[in-house]
Short mmCIF file of all heavy atoms in Angstrom, two decimals:
data_model
loop_
_atom_site.label_atom_id
_atom_site.label_comp_id
_atom_site.label_asym_id
_atom_site.label_seq_id
_atom_site.Cartn_x
_atom_site.Cartn_y
_atom_site.Cartn_z
N VAL A 551 97.93 114.44 99.00
CA VAL A 551 98.67 115.46 98.24
C VAL A 551 99.32 114.90 96.98
O VAL A 551 99.46 115.60 95.97
CB VAL A 551 99.74 116.14 99.13
CG1 VAL A 551 99.08 116.92 100.24
CG2 VAL A 551 100.72 115.13 99.71
N VAL A 552 99.75 113.66 97.03
CA VAL A 552 100.39 113.02 95.87
C VAL A 552 99.31 112.50 94.92
O VAL A 552 98.27 111.99 95.36
CB VAL A 552 101.32 111.87 96.32
CG1 VAL A 552 101.87 111.12 95.12
CG2 VAL A 552 102.46 112.42 97.18
N ASP A 553 99.54 112.60 93.62
CA ASP A 553 98.61 112.10 92.62
C ASP A 553 98.70 110.58 92.57
O ASP A 553 99.65 110.02 92.04
CB ASP A 553 98.95 112.70 91.25
CG ASP A 553 97.94 112.33 90.17
OD1 ASP A 553 97.18 111.36 90.36
OD2 ASP A 553 97.91 113.02 89.13
N MET A 554 97.70 109.90 93.13
CA MET A 554 97.75 108.44 93.21
C MET A 554 97.66 107.79 91.84
O MET A 554 98.19 106.70 91.62
CB MET A 554 96.64 107.93 94.12
CG MET A 554 96.86 108.22 95.60
SD MET A 554 98.43 107.60 96.26
CE MET A 554 98.22 105.83 96.03
N ASP A 555 96.99 108.43 90.88
CA ASP A 555 96.95 107.88 89.53
C ASP A 555 98.35 107.84 88.92
O ASP A 555 98.72 106.88 88.23
CB ASP A 555 96.00 108.69 88.65
CG ASP A 555 94.55 108.39 88.93
OD1 ASP A 555 94.26 107.28 89.41
OD2 ASP A 555 93.69 109.24 88.67
N GLU A 556 99.12 108.88 89.17
CA GLU A 556 100.49 108.88 88.66
C GLU A 556 101.33 107.84 89.38
O GLU A 556 102.18 107.18 88.76
CB GLU A 556 101.12 110.27 88.85
CG GLU A 556 102.51 110.37 88.24
CD GLU A 556 103.04 111.79 88.24
OE1 GLU A 556 102.24 112.73 88.11
OE2 GLU A 556 104.28 111.94 88.36
N ILE A 557 101.10 107.67 90.67
CA ILE A 557 101.79 106.62 91.42
C ILE A 557 101.52 105.26 90.79
O ILE A 557 102.42 104.46 90.56
CB ILE A 557 101.33 106.62 92.89
CG1 ILE A 557 101.78 107.89 93.62
CG2 ILE A 557 101.81 105.36 93.62
CD1 ILE A 557 103.22 107.93 94.00
N ARG A 558 100.25 104.99 90.49
CA ARG A 558 99.88 103.70 89.91
C ARG A 558 100.56 103.50 88.55
O ARG A 558 101.13 102.43 88.28
CB ARG A 558 98.35 103.63 89.73
CG ARG A 558 97.56 103.61 91.02
CD ARG A 558 96.07 103.56 90.72
NE ARG A 558 95.27 103.50 91.94
CZ ARG A 558 94.63 104.54 92.47
NH1 ARG A 558 94.67 105.73 91.87
NH2 ARG A 558 93.94 104.41 93.58
N ARG A 559 100.47 104.51 87.70
CA ARG A 559 101.03 104.38 86.35
C ARG A 559 102.53 104.12 86.39
O ARG A 559 103.04 103.23 85.70
CB ARG A 559 100.74 105.64 85.53
CG ARG A 559 99.31 105.77 85.05
CD ARG A 559 99.18 106.86 84.00
NE ARG A 559 99.58 108.17 84.53
CZ ARG A 559 98.73 109.02 85.10
NH1 ARG A 559 97.45 108.69 85.21
NH2 ARG A 559 99.14 110.20 85.54
N GLU A 560 103.24 104.90 87.19
CA GLU A 560 104.69 104.78 87.20
C GLU A 560 105.16 103.48 87.85
O GLU A 560 106.11 102.84 87.38
CB GLU A 560 105.30 105.99 87.92
CG GLU A 560 106.82 106.00 87.96
CD GLU A 560 107.48 106.00 86.58
OE1 GLU A 560 106.81 106.40 85.60
OE2 GLU A 560 108.66 105.57 86.49
N LEU A 561 104.50 103.07 88.92
CA LEU A 561 104.88 101.80 89.55
C LEU A 561 104.64 100.64 88.60
O LEU A 561 105.45 99.71 88.51
CB LEU A 561 104.09 101.59 90.85
CG LEU A 561 104.51 102.44 92.06
CD1 LEU A 561 103.58 102.18 93.23
CD2 LEU A 561 105.97 102.15 92.47
N ARG A 562 103.54 100.68 87.86
CA ARG A 562 103.27 99.60 86.91
C ARG A 562 104.26 99.65 85.75
O ARG A 562 104.66 98.59 85.23
CB ARG A 562 101.82 99.70 86.41
CG ARG A 562 100.81 99.30 87.49
CD ARG A 562 99.43 99.04 86.93
NE ARG A 562 98.58 98.44 87.95
CZ ARG A 562 97.55 99.03 88.54
NH1 ARG A 562 97.21 100.27 88.18
NH2 ARG A 562 96.84 98.42 89.46
N ARG A 563 104.65 100.84 85.35
CA ARG A 563 105.67 100.95 84.29
C ARG A 563 106.98 100.32 84.74
O ARG A 563 107.72 99.75 83.92
CB ARG A 563 105.89 102.43 83.94
CG ARG A 563 106.75 102.64 82.70
CD ARG A 563 107.11 104.09 82.51
NE ARG A 563 108.01 104.56 83.56
CZ ARG A 563 109.32 104.32 83.56
NH1 ARG A 563 109.89 103.61 82.59
NH2 ARG A 563 110.08 104.78 84.53
N ARG A 564 107.25 100.37 86.04
CA ARG A 564 108.46 99.79 86.58
C ARG A 564 108.31 98.29 86.87
O ARG A 564 109.23 97.66 87.39
CB ARG A 564 108.89 100.51 87.86
CG ARG A 564 109.20 101.99 87.64
CD ARG A 564 109.76 102.64 88.89
NE ARG A 564 109.96 104.08 88.70
CZ ARG A 564 110.69 104.85 89.52
NH1 ARG A 564 111.30 104.30 90.56
NH2 ARG A 564 110.79 106.15 89.29
N GLY A 565 107.15 97.74 86.55
CA GLY A 565 106.97 96.29 86.64
C GLY A 565 106.31 95.78 87.90
O GLY A 565 106.27 94.56 88.12
N TRP A 566 105.73 96.67 88.72
CA TRP A 566 105.09 96.22 89.96
C TRP A 566 103.61 95.92 89.75
O TRP A 566 102.95 96.56 88.97
CB TRP A 566 105.22 97.29 91.05
CG TRP A 566 106.62 97.50 91.52
CD1 TRP A 566 107.44 98.55 91.24
CD2 TRP A 566 107.38 96.62 92.35
NE1 TRP A 566 108.66 98.39 91.86
CE2 TRP A 566 108.65 97.21 92.55
CE3 TRP A 566 107.11 95.39 92.96
CZ2 TRP A 566 109.65 96.61 93.31
CZ3 TRP A 566 108.11 94.80 93.72
CH2 TRP A 566 109.35 95.40 93.89
N TYR A 567 103.13 94.91 90.49
CA TYR A 567 101.72 94.54 90.47
C TYR A 567 101.14 94.74 91.87
O TYR A 567 101.77 94.37 92.86
CB TYR A 567 101.54 93.09 90.04
CG TYR A 567 101.89 92.85 88.59
CD1 TYR A 567 103.21 92.62 88.20
CD2 TYR A 567 100.91 92.87 87.61
CE1 TYR A 567 103.55 92.41 86.88
CE2 TYR A 567 101.23 92.67 86.27
CZ TYR A 567 102.55 92.44 85.91
OH TYR A 567 102.87 92.25 84.61
N PHE A 568 99.94 95.29 91.94
CA PHE A 568 99.28 95.56 93.21
C PHE A 568 97.80 95.77 92.93
O PHE A 568 97.36 95.76 91.77
CB PHE A 568 99.88 96.81 93.88
CG PHE A 568 100.04 97.97 92.94
CD1 PHE A 568 98.99 98.84 92.68
CD2 PHE A 568 101.25 98.17 92.28
CE1 PHE A 568 99.13 99.89 91.80
CE2 PHE A 568 101.39 99.22 91.39
CZ PHE A 568 100.34 100.09 91.14
N CYS A 569 97.03 95.95 93.99
CA CYS A 569 95.58 96.16 93.85
C CYS A 569 95.24 97.63 94.02
O CYS A 569 95.97 98.39 94.67
CB CYS A 569 94.82 95.34 94.89
SG CYS A 569 95.11 93.56 94.78
N ASP A 570 94.13 98.04 93.43
CA ASP A 570 93.67 99.43 93.51
C ASP A 570 92.42 99.54 94.37
O ASP A 570 91.58 98.65 94.39
CB ASP A 570 93.30 99.97 92.12
CG ASP A 570 94.52 100.27 91.28
OD1 ASP A 570 95.59 100.51 91.86
OD2 ASP A 570 94.40 100.25 90.04
N HIS A 571 92.33 100.65 95.09
CA HIS A 571 91.07 101.05 95.71
C HIS A 571 90.78 102.45 95.20
O HIS A 571 91.42 103.42 95.60
CB HIS A 571 91.17 101.04 97.24
CG HIS A 571 89.85 101.28 97.92
ND1 HIS A 571 89.42 102.53 98.27
CD2 HIS A 571 88.87 100.42 98.28
CE1 HIS A 571 88.23 102.44 98.85
NE2 HIS A 571 87.88 101.17 98.87
N ARG A 572 89.85 102.55 94.26
CA ARG A 572 89.61 103.81 93.55
C ARG A 572 88.65 104.70 94.32
O ARG A 572 87.43 104.63 94.14
CB ARG A 572 89.05 103.51 92.16
CG ARG A 572 90.02 102.77 91.26
CD ARG A 572 91.10 103.68 90.72
NE ARG A 572 92.00 102.98 89.82
CZ ARG A 572 92.85 103.58 89.00
NH1 ARG A 572 92.91 104.90 88.99
NH2 ARG A 572 93.64 102.88 88.23
N GLY A 573 89.20 105.51 95.18
CA GLY A 573 88.39 106.48 95.90
C GLY A 573 88.45 107.84 95.23
O GLY A 573 89.07 108.02 94.17
N GLU A 574 87.84 108.81 95.84
CA GLU A 574 87.87 110.17 95.31
C GLU A 574 89.29 110.71 95.38
O GLU A 574 90.01 110.50 96.35
CB GLU A 574 86.91 111.05 96.11
CG GLU A 574 86.76 112.46 95.57
CD GLU A 574 85.76 113.28 96.37
OE1 GLU A 574 85.01 112.66 97.16
OE2 GLU A 574 85.75 114.50 96.21
N ASN A 575 89.72 111.42 94.33
CA ASN A 575 91.07 111.96 94.28
C ASN A 575 91.36 112.84 95.51
O ASN A 575 90.50 113.55 96.00
CB ASN A 575 91.28 112.79 93.02
CG ASN A 575 91.36 111.93 91.78
OD1 ASN A 575 91.69 110.75 91.86
ND2 ASN A 575 91.06 112.49 90.62
N SER A 576 92.61 112.76 95.98
CA SER A 576 93.10 113.57 97.10
C SER A 576 92.38 113.27 98.41
O SER A 576 92.25 114.12 99.27
CB SER A 576 92.99 115.07 96.78
OG SER A 576 93.76 115.39 95.63
N THR A 577 91.90 112.04 98.54
CA THR A 577 91.32 111.59 99.80
C THR A 577 92.02 110.29 100.21
O THR A 577 92.63 109.61 99.39
CB THR A 577 89.81 111.32 99.69
OG1 THR A 577 89.59 110.16 98.86
CG2 THR A 577 89.08 112.53 99.09
N LEU A 578 91.91 109.95 101.48
CA LEU A 578 92.55 108.73 101.97
C LEU A 578 91.93 107.48 101.38
O LEU A 578 92.51 106.39 101.45
CB LEU A 578 92.47 108.68 103.50
CG LEU A 578 93.26 109.77 104.25
CD1 LEU A 578 93.09 109.59 105.75
CD2 LEU A 578 94.74 109.73 103.89
N GLY A 579 90.75 107.62 100.79
CA GLY A 579 90.10 106.46 100.18
C GLY A 579 90.69 106.07 98.83
O GLY A 579 90.35 105.03 98.28
N ASP A 580 91.58 106.89 98.29
CA ASP A 580 92.21 106.60 97.00
C ASP A 580 93.57 105.97 97.29
O ASP A 580 94.51 106.66 97.70
CB ASP A 580 92.36 107.89 96.19
CG ASP A 580 92.68 107.63 94.74
OD1 ASP A 580 92.35 106.54 94.24
OD2 ASP A 580 93.26 108.51 94.09
N SER A 581 93.70 104.67 97.07
CA SER A 581 94.90 103.99 97.55
C SER A 581 95.31 102.83 96.66
O SER A 581 94.58 102.41 95.76
CB SER A 581 94.66 103.46 98.98
OG SER A 581 93.71 102.41 98.95
N ILE A 582 96.51 102.33 96.94
CA ILE A 582 96.95 101.04 96.41
C ILE A 582 97.12 100.11 97.60
O ILE A 582 97.35 100.56 98.72
CB ILE A 582 98.27 101.16 95.62
CG1 ILE A 582 99.41 101.67 96.52
CG2 ILE A 582 98.09 102.07 94.42
CD1 ILE A 582 100.77 101.68 95.85
N TRP A 583 96.96 98.80 97.37
CA TRP A 583 97.07 97.88 98.49
C TRP A 583 97.61 96.53 98.04
O TRP A 583 97.55 96.19 96.85
CB TRP A 583 95.74 97.72 99.22
CG TRP A 583 94.62 97.11 98.43
CD1 TRP A 583 93.80 97.76 97.55
CD2 TRP A 583 94.19 95.75 98.45
NE1 TRP A 583 92.87 96.89 97.04
CE2 TRP A 583 93.08 95.65 97.57
CE3 TRP A 583 94.60 94.61 99.14
CZ2 TRP A 583 92.41 94.45 97.34
CZ3 TRP A 583 93.94 93.42 98.92
CH2 TRP A 583 92.85 93.35 98.03
N LEU A 584 98.18 95.81 99.00
CA LEU A 584 98.78 94.50 98.73
C LEU A 584 98.49 93.57 99.90
O LEU A 584 98.42 94.00 101.05
CB LEU A 584 100.31 94.61 98.58
CG LEU A 584 100.87 95.62 97.59
CD1 LEU A 584 101.21 96.92 98.29
CD2 LEU A 584 102.11 95.06 96.91
N CYS A 585 98.31 92.29 99.59
CA CYS A 585 98.20 91.27 100.62
C CYS A 585 99.59 90.69 100.83
O CYS A 585 100.24 90.25 99.87
CB CYS A 585 97.22 90.19 100.20
SG CYS A 585 96.65 89.17 101.56
N MET A 586 100.07 90.72 102.07
CA MET A 586 101.45 90.39 102.37
C MET A 586 101.62 88.92 102.77
O MET A 586 100.98 88.45 103.72
CB MET A 586 101.96 91.28 103.51
CG MET A 586 101.89 92.76 103.19
SD MET A 586 103.01 93.17 101.85
CE MET A 586 102.82 94.94 101.79
N TYR A 587 102.50 88.23 102.05
CA TYR A 587 102.80 86.83 102.33
C TYR A 587 104.31 86.67 102.53
O TYR A 587 105.10 87.52 102.09
CB TYR A 587 102.33 85.95 101.18
CG TYR A 587 100.83 85.93 101.01
CD1 TYR A 587 100.22 86.61 99.96
CD2 TYR A 587 100.03 85.23 101.90
CE1 TYR A 587 98.83 86.59 99.82
CE2 TYR A 587 98.65 85.21 101.76
CZ TYR A 587 98.06 85.89 100.71
OH TYR A 587 96.69 85.87 100.58
N PRO A 588 104.74 85.57 103.16
CA PRO A 588 106.16 85.40 103.46
C PRO A 588 107.07 85.51 102.23
O PRO A 588 108.17 86.06 102.34
CB PRO A 588 106.22 83.99 104.08
CG PRO A 588 104.91 83.86 104.77
CD PRO A 588 103.92 84.54 103.84
N TYR A 589 106.63 85.03 101.09
CA TYR A 589 107.51 85.08 99.92
C TYR A 589 107.78 86.50 99.44
O TYR A 589 108.70 86.74 98.65
CB TYR A 589 106.92 84.25 98.77
CG TYR A 589 105.73 84.86 98.06
CD1 TYR A 589 105.91 85.72 96.98
CD2 TYR A 589 104.45 84.60 98.49
CE1 TYR A 589 104.82 86.29 96.34
CE2 TYR A 589 103.35 85.16 97.85
CZ TYR A 589 103.55 86.00 96.78
OH TYR A 589 102.46 86.57 96.14
N GLN A 590 106.98 87.47 99.93
CA GLN A 590 107.16 88.85 99.50
C GLN A 590 108.18 89.61 100.35
O GLN A 590 108.44 90.79 100.09
CB GLN A 590 105.81 89.59 99.55
CG GLN A 590 104.81 89.08 98.52
CD GLN A 590 103.43 89.67 98.71
OE1 GLN A 590 102.98 89.83 99.84
NE2 GLN A 590 102.77 89.98 97.62
N GLU A 591 108.76 88.94 101.33
CA GLU A 591 109.68 89.63 102.24
C GLU A 591 110.79 90.35 101.48
O GLU A 591 111.14 91.49 101.78
CB GLU A 591 110.27 88.64 103.23
CG GLU A 591 111.20 89.28 104.25
CD GLU A 591 111.69 88.30 105.29
OE1 GLU A 591 111.70 87.09 105.01
OE2 GLU A 591 112.06 88.76 106.39
N ARG A 592 111.35 89.69 100.48
CA ARG A 592 112.47 90.29 99.75
C ARG A 592 112.05 91.42 98.82
O ARG A 592 112.90 92.14 98.29
CB ARG A 592 113.19 89.20 98.93
CG ARG A 592 112.31 88.57 97.87
CD ARG A 592 113.01 87.40 97.18
NE ARG A 592 112.13 86.73 96.25
CZ ARG A 592 111.92 87.13 95.00
NH1 ARG A 592 112.53 88.20 94.53
NH2 ARG A 592 111.10 86.44 94.21
N MET A 593 110.74 91.60 98.62
CA MET A 593 110.26 92.62 97.69
C MET A 593 109.84 93.91 98.39
O MET A 593 109.59 94.92 97.73
CB MET A 593 109.08 92.09 96.88
CG MET A 593 109.36 90.83 96.10
SD MET A 593 107.92 90.29 95.17
CE MET A 593 107.96 88.55 95.44
N VAL A 594 109.72 93.88 99.74
CA VAL A 594 109.19 95.05 100.44
C VAL A 594 110.07 96.27 100.24
O VAL A 594 109.59 97.35 99.84
CB VAL A 594 109.02 94.75 101.94
CG1 VAL A 594 108.67 96.03 102.71
CG2 VAL A 594 107.92 93.71 102.15
N GLU A 595 111.37 96.15 100.50
CA GLU A 595 112.25 97.31 100.40
C GLU A 595 112.35 97.83 98.96
O GLU A 595 112.25 99.06 98.75
CB GLU A 595 113.65 96.97 100.94
CG GLU A 595 113.79 97.22 102.44
CD GLU A 595 112.94 96.26 103.27
OE1 GLU A 595 112.77 95.10 102.86
OE2 GLU A 595 112.43 96.67 104.33
#
C-alpha cells in the first residue's frame, strides 16, 4: 500500500543507505533491505 519509491527517496534524503530489490509496484517483491552486523545495533531504532 505504501509507495516504496517514495520511501526510498525520502530515506536517502535523510542520509540513510540501504539496498534495493526492485519488484513490481505494490507487491511484496518491491522492497528495501539491509545486511545486519553488530556495529549497526545503535542505528536500528
Side-chain angles (χ1 to χ4, degrees):
V551 295
V552 174
D553 185 341
M554 289 304 297
D555 284 335
E556 185 171 328
I557 293 284
R558 294 179 178 101
R559 285 194 299 270
E560 182 59 22
L561 286 176
R562 288 195 170 111
R563 190 188 68 80
R564 298 186 185 195
W566 293 106
Y567 291 84
F568 46 85
C569 301
D570 286 336
H571 187 269
R572 295 284 182 166
E574 185 178 346
N575 288 336
S576 300
T577 69
L578 294 180
D580 195 24
S581 69
I582 61 174
W583 64 278
L584 308 94
C585 197
M586 301 295 185
Y587 294 106
Y589 74 89
Q590 293 172 320
E591 182 175 24
R592 62 186 175 84
M593 303 181 222
V594 171
E595 272 67 34

